[in-house]
Amino acid sequence: MKPGEGTDADRELISAVAGTDADRERAVAWRTRRVVCASQGVMQEQKAGRKRIRAVALAATLVVVLVLGPLVWWAGETLIEEERLTG
């Protein structure tokens, strides 16, 4: 190899050591950070949605139990008092 000639790897190494590609690396890091932040926001929204769905399901279950519970209790008590179940 003649002096002054270099391979692509040598040129890349020299530019990395000299810091000539710092602007490009900074731009890539900024885009990466932006994408990661956006992804984190989407994940947090999905998590909040799952919590909301779970809370609504629990509330609906409690309403059903609290509304139907006394009705079932009354029906059972009525059947036992009238001795329909015992004979």
Side-chain angles (χ1 to χ4, degrees):
M1 183 183 314
K2 295 180 184 177
E5 289 183 4
T7 64
D8 288 335
D10 291 338
R11 288 188 197 125
E12 289 178 15
L13 179 63
I14 290 171
S15 67
V17 170
T20 56
D21 290 337
D23 287 334
R24 185 178 62 187
E25 291 174 8
R26 188 178 317 118
V28 170
W30 183 77
R31 275 182 296 205
T32 303
R33 187 172 26 253
R34 192 178 70 211
V35 168
V36 168
C37 287
S39 297
Q40 182 183 14
V42 169
M43 289 170 40
Q44 286 177 345
E45 288 175 6
Q46 289 174 346
K47 187 177 179 181
R50 285 191 301 267
K51 283 184 178 181
R52 189 172 29 257
I53 290 170
R54 190 179 306 128
V56 168
L58 180 61
T61 303
L62 284 174
V63 166
V64 168
V65 167
L66 292 175
V67 168
L68 295 180
L71 179 64
V72 171
W73 188 273
W74 173 80
E77 192 173 53
T78 303
L79 289 174
I80 291 173
E81 282 179 1
E82 295 178 3
E83 297 181 1
R84 292 185 183 180
L85 294 178
T86 58

